[in-house]
Protein backbone atom coordinates (compact mmCIF):
# COMPACT_ATOMS: atom_id res chain seq x y z
CA UNK A 1 0.00 0.00 0.00
CA UNK A 2 2.76 2.46 0.83
CA UNK A 3 4.44 1.85 -2.49
CA UNK A 4 1.25 2.87 -4.28
CA UNK A 5 0.98 6.04 -2.19
CA UNK A 6 4.62 6.89 -2.91
CA UNK A 7 4.01 6.45 -6.63
CA UNK A 8 0.96 8.71 -6.48
CA UNK A 9 2.92 11.40 -4.64
CA UNK A 10 5.72 11.18 -7.19
CA UNK A 11 3.28 11.42 -10.11
CA UNK A 12 1.63 14.42 -8.48
CA UNK A 13 4.95 16.27 -8.13
CA UNK A 14 5.89 15.43 -11.73
CA UNK A 15 2.50 16.68 -12.91
CA UNK A 16 2.97 19.98 -11.05
CA UNK A 17 6.45 20.42 -12.55
CA UNK A 18 5.07 19.72 -16.03
CA UNK A 19 2.41 22.42 -15.54
CA UNK A 20 5.21 24.84 -14.63
CA UNK A 21 7.00 23.98 -17.89
CA UNK A 22 9.66 21.70 -16.42
CA UNK A 23 9.95 18.42 -18.30
CA UNK A 24 13.52 17.40 -17.47
CA UNK A 25 16.22 18.16 -14.91
CA UNK A 26 19.86 18.19 -16.00
CA UNK A 27 18.86 16.45 -19.22
CA UNK A 28 17.11 13.57 -17.45
CA UNK A 29 13.38 12.94 -17.78
CA UNK A 30 11.52 13.65 -14.55
CA UNK A 31 10.60 9.98 -14.19
CA UNK A 32 14.32 9.17 -13.74
CA UNK A 33 15.12 11.92 -11.20
CA UNK A 34 15.21 11.23 -7.46
CA UNK A 35 12.05 12.21 -5.59
CA UNK A 36 13.97 14.49 -3.24
CA UNK A 37 15.39 16.39 -6.22
CA UNK A 38 11.91 16.74 -7.72
CA UNK A 39 10.67 18.24 -4.45
CA UNK A 40 13.60 20.68 -4.26
CA UNK A 41 13.05 21.89 -7.82
CA UNK A 42 9.30 22.26 -7.26
CA UNK A 43 9.85 24.23 -4.03
CA UNK A 44 12.41 26.49 -5.72
CA UNK A 45 10.13 27.12 -8.71
CA UNK A 46 7.11 27.87 -6.50
CA UNK A 47 9.12 30.29 -4.37
CA UNK A 48 10.22 32.13 -7.52
CA UNK A 49 6.57 32.61 -8.48
CA UNK A 50 5.65 34.28 -5.19
Amino acid sequence: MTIMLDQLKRKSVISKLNKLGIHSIDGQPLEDVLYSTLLKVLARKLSELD
Side-chain angles (χ1 to χ4, degrees), residues 7-25 29-35 38-39 42:
Q7 289 173 344
L8 288 172
K9 287 186 217 176
R10 182 178 179 82
K11 286 182 182 182
S12 174
V13 171
I14 289 173
S15 174
K16 289 176 185 177
L17 288 169
N18 285 333
K19 288 178 185 175
L20 293 171
I22 300 171
H23 302 284
S24 65
I25 297 174
L30 298 179
E31 291 78 16
D32 296 340
V33 177
L34 290 175
Y35 182 66
L38 293 174
L39 289 176
L42 180 60

Side-chain angles (χ1 to χ4, degrees), residues 17 22 25 36-46:
L17 288 169
I22 300 171
I25 297 174
S36 60
T37 304
L38 293 174
L39 289 176
K40 288 177 191 175
V41 170
L42 180 60
R44 190 177 324 125
K45 188 68 174 177
L46 291 175

